[in-house]
Amino acid sequence: MKNKNEKEKQFLDSYDSSKFEKPSVTIDLLIFTIKDNQLHILLVERDQMPFQGQLALPGVFVGIEESLEEAVKRGLKQKASLTDIYFEQLYTWGDVDRDPRMRIISVSYMALVPFSQLLSSAGEQNIEQNLYTVESILAGQEELAFDHRNIIAYGRERVKNKAEYSLIGFQFLEKKFTLPQLQLIYEILLGKQLYKANFRKKIKPYVVETEEFVSTGANRPSKLYLQASTNKK
Amino acid sequence: MKNKNEKEKQFLDSYDSSKFEKPSVTIDLLIFTIKDNQLHILLVERDQMPFQGQLALPGVFVGIEESLEEAVKRGLKQKASLTDIYFEQLYTWGDVDRDPRMRIISVSYMALVPFSQLLSSAGEQNIEQNLYTVESILAGQEELAFDHRNIIAYGRERVKNKAEYSLIGFQFLEKKFTLPQLQLIYEILLGKQLYKANFRKKIKPYVVETEEFVSTGANRPSKLYLQASTNKK
DNA sequence: CAAATAGTGTCTTTGAGACACTATCGT
DNA sequence: ACGATAGTGTCTCAAAGACACTATTTG
């Protein structure tokens, strides 16, 4: 890829070049986790204008020699020391004035991570103080930079929708978990209570029981399960 | 927005600028229609390198002063003389080498249009010869430029999935339609036959009957319907 | 044994699926 | 009357919803 700039120039010369002034492309990350029985998202406080002091999604510019997925992985690592977690593309935001400085097109991705993993990965830095409940953000209780509140609302909807028909809930748990834990995850994502017996009937084909139990006080211990087939690393 | 370039320069100076050489951003359009009881897509034959002579999705560059949606509308108008039709964002494709000339990130949108409208909008140009069955493309019977076959496969899946639970099928029909017509659309999208009685029970809340009928030969005429509430323009 | 949570059995309700039937047109 | 397509009634079956019950732990 030596002559790339030359090739590009030649290519663009056949167009009205003013029309193809290029926008910047960034990745915005919606890193969701579940803490204290609530859906939380990782935000950073902006230390410069515009929107200085307000909360924003962690983001990175997409490098000219890296794919979108590579940029996402780099962002997850740089902003939250996370590797090997689940993520998926959400939506691409391209309104002209969404960033007052310059034209920025943002590809949003959501990542789901168990709270314990988020804590242990972060190491020194106190990442916990950068977690905010999605509920409070959508209720307008926090000042959000750019169009980030809308992006979070979009991500919240995606999570809720996928909780209806997919195994997305597993992403918030460690490899081994109990069915009451899993049910609670789904209840938080869906925003409603579920019937124990029905939940278990539905989830049964996707879990395999172990011989281990966990005890949480003065009651019957709960059996530990693993996710079936589709192995979680 | 006079001082934009100045502002931008100042902003970028605080970064490693080589890292933020900008990619180009384009829109790729998946214009679907139903013709001869098959799902078709509009493609153009490339008249220059690379992939000269091969088929490609119609696309436009995203102008620096237009939103993604504005670029989509401009593309629909320029490439197929279409206005006021349904479209939605599909996915953003950003592999580094998806275009051999230069780094291009493409935001794909799918648009759905009744075949009759596609024909009448096109006017002079014979747009019909640019329609290809999605089936033949996915079977590998046509040479596709870039990663466009993958993009089409993704769009085909989206259409099929949305046909399962949404009113997307209406977008392929004129304002007034018969239930057998609507059922046929859904059968084509889903790739399977449906039971008449069951289909009508399910669709009933979303249609309102008119007092008009259409007659198609030696059999009972079919009643014309309108889509309920959610008005189609 | 009481309190608390884990886990199961089963009746009800809902909607999808399957199929048989009737209705209305042109010839 | 017939062939063809439009349109309806109803039985079956599977899954979701609701609820009552049993099981196992600690103190």
Side-chain angles (χ1 to χ4, degrees):
Chain A
M1 294 272 143
K2 292 108 243 274
N3 299 347
K4 196 167 217 174
N5 281 339
E6 210 171 307
K7 266 198 270 175
E8 182 173 328
K9 201 161 180 62
Q10 187 184 359
F11 171 68
L12 283 177
D13 282 350
S14 61
Y15 292 83
D16 172 2
S17 70
S18 73
K19 216 169 178 177
F20 300 113
E21 188 187 337
K22 298 174 187 172
S24 296
V25 179
T26 65
I27 301 287
D28 280 329
L29 294 172
L30 285 74
I31 302 172
F32 288 116
T33 195
I34 289 179
K35 171 195 160 192
D36 299 337
N37 296 344
Q38 280 198 293
L39 185 64
H40 284 68
I41 188 168
L42 183 69
L43 299 175
V44 296
E45 192 173 321
R46 287 185 58 80
D47 59 1
Q48 52 182 285
M49 298 292 289
F51 303 106
Q52 189 167 19
Q54 294 187 21
L55 296 173
L57 294 167
V60 294
F61 280 82
V62 176
I64 196 71
E65 287 288 356
E66 72 181 348
S67 69
L68 298 178
E69 285 74 16
E70 284 163 358
V72 170
K73 286 178 185 168
R74 180 169 59 83
L76 288 171
K77 193 162 187 180
Q78 286 179 358
K79 306 289 177 171
S81 309
L82 290 168
T83 55
D84 294 314
I85 65 168
Y86 174 88
F87 65 84
E88 68 176 57
Q89 189 184 107
L90 275 181
Y91 195 78
T92 299
W93 309 81
D95 277 2
V96 172
D97 288 320
R98 52 181 301 278
D99 189 310
R101 294 165 300 184
M102 57 196 277
R103 179 69 193 283
I104 297 191
I105 290 170
S106 164
V107 186
S108 55
Y109 278 77
M110 73 172 184
L112 312 181
V113 60
F115 177 58
S116 55
Q117 187 177 344
L118 187 61
L119 265 191
S120 62
S121 296
E124 295 303 298
Q125 49 183 311
N126 187 358
I127 206 161
E128 197 168 352
Q129 68 192 14
N130 294 320
L131 291 178
Y132 299 81
T133 69
V134 172
E135 195 183 13
S136 69
I137 288 160
L138 298 185
Q141 291 168 22
E142 305 283 350
E143 294 266 37
L144 268 283
F146 308 107
D147 51 0
H148 288 188
R149 195 196 313 277
N150 285 341
I151 298 178
I152 293 169
Y154 188 93
R156 176 69 182 99
E157 279 305 304
R158 175 77 66 92
V159 170
K160 187 184 283 188
N161 288 336
K162 293 200 83 161
E164 292 279 3
Y165 64 88
S166 82
L167 302 179
I168 205 173
F170 289 81
Q171 303 300 329
F172 292 101
L173 291 172
E174 306 276 0
K175 200 156 54 182
K176 288 179 185 172
F177 52 86
T178 69
L179 295 188
Q181 284 172 348
L182 184 61
Q183 180 175 346
L184 181 56
I185 296 286
Y186 273 92
E187 288 177 336
I188 292 165
L189 299 182
L190 293 170
K192 67 178 180 192
Q193 288 213 295
L194 301 174
Y195 286 86
K196 206 168 25 168
N198 303 337
F199 177 78
R200 282 159 185 257
K201 268 183 281 185
K202 202 163 145 185
I203 213 72
K204 184 156 258 173
Y206 308 109
V207 296
V208 287
E209 62 179 21
T210 69
E211 294 308 314
E212 300 171 68
F213 292 84
V214 284
S215 204
T216 59
N219 50 47
R220 178 171 173 177
S222 188
K223 188 171 270 193
L224 280 170
Y225 286 76
L226 294 167
Q227 186 172 2
S229 58
T230 353
N231 290 315
K232 184 171 179 206
K233 218 294 230 8
Chain B
M1 297 274 143
K2 293 109 241 284
N3 298 348
K4 199 170 218 176
N5 280 342
E6 211 169 307
K7 265 198 269 176
E8 179 174 331
K9 201 159 180 62
Q10 187 184 359
F11 171 69
L12 285 177
D13 282 350
S14 60
Y15 290 82
D16 172 3
S17 70
S18 71
K19 217 169 176 175
F20 300 114
E21 188 187 338
K22 299 174 186 171
S24 297
V25 178
T26 64
I27 301 287
D28 280 327
L29 295 172
L30 286 72
I31 303 173
F32 287 117
T33 194
I34 288 179
K35 171 194 159 193
D36 301 337
N37 296 344
Q38 280 198 288
L39 184 66
H40 284 69
I41 188 167
L42 184 69
L43 298 175
V44 296
E45 192 172 319
R46 288 185 58 81
D47 59 0
Q48 51 183 282
M49 295 293 287
F51 302 107
Q52 190 167 16
Q54 294 187 21
L55 296 173
L57 294 167
V60 293
F61 279 81
V62 176
I64 197 72
E65 287 288 355
E66 72 182 347
S67 70
L68 298 179
E69 285 74 15
E70 284 162 357
V72 170
K73 286 178 185 168
R74 180 170 59 82
L76 289 172
K77 194 163 186 178
Q78 285 178 359
K79 307 287 179 173
S81 310
L82 289 169
T83 56
D84 294 314
I85 64 167
Y86 174 88
F87 64 83
E88 68 177 58
Q89 190 183 106
L90 277 181
Y91 196 79
T92 298
W93 309 81
D95 276 2
V96 171
D97 288 320
R98 54 181 298 281
D99 188 311
R101 293 165 302 185
M102 55 196 279
R103 180 70 193 281
I104 296 192
I105 290 171
S106 164
V107 187
S108 55
Y109 279 77
M110 74 171 182
L112 312 181
V113 59
F115 178 58
S116 56
Q117 187 178 344
L118 188 60
L119 265 191
S120 63
S121 296
E124 293 304 296
Q125 49 183 311
N126 186 358
I127 207 161
E128 198 170 350
Q129 69 192 16
N130 294 321
L131 290 178
Y132 298 81
T133 69
V134 173
E135 194 182 13
S136 69
I137 288 159
L138 298 185
Q141 292 169 21
E142 306 282 351
E143 293 266 36
L144 268 283
F146 308 107
D147 51 0
H148 288 189
R149 195 197 312 277
N150 285 343
I151 298 179
I152 293 169
Y154 188 92
R156 175 65 182 107
E157 278 306 302
R158 176 78 65 93
V159 171
K160 186 184 282 186
N161 288 338
K162 292 200 87 162
E164 292 278 3
Y165 64 87
S166 83
L167 303 179
I168 206 174
F170 289 81
Q171 302 301 330
F172 292 101
L173 290 171
E174 306 276 359
K175 199 155 54 182
K176 289 179 184 171
F177 52 86
T178 69
L179 295 189
Q181 283 171 350
L182 184 61
Q183 180 175 346
L184 182 55
I185 296 286
Y186 273 92
E187 289 177 337
I188 292 165
L189 299 182
L190 294 170
K192 68 179 181 192
Q193 288 212 295
L194 301 174
Y195 287 86
K196 205 167 29 168
N198 302 338
F199 177 77
R200 282 160 185 256
K201 269 183 281 185
K202 202 163 147 186
I203 213 73
K204 182 156 258 171
Y206 309 108
V207 295
V208 289
E209 60 180 20
T210 69
E211 293 308 313
E212 299 172 70
F213 292 83
V214 284
S215 204
T216 59
N219 51 48
R220 180 170 172 177
S222 188
K223 188 171 267 194
L224 281 171
Y225 285 78
L226 294 167
Q227 187 173 1
S229 57
T230 353
N231 291 313
K232 183 170 179 206
K233 175 65 145 331

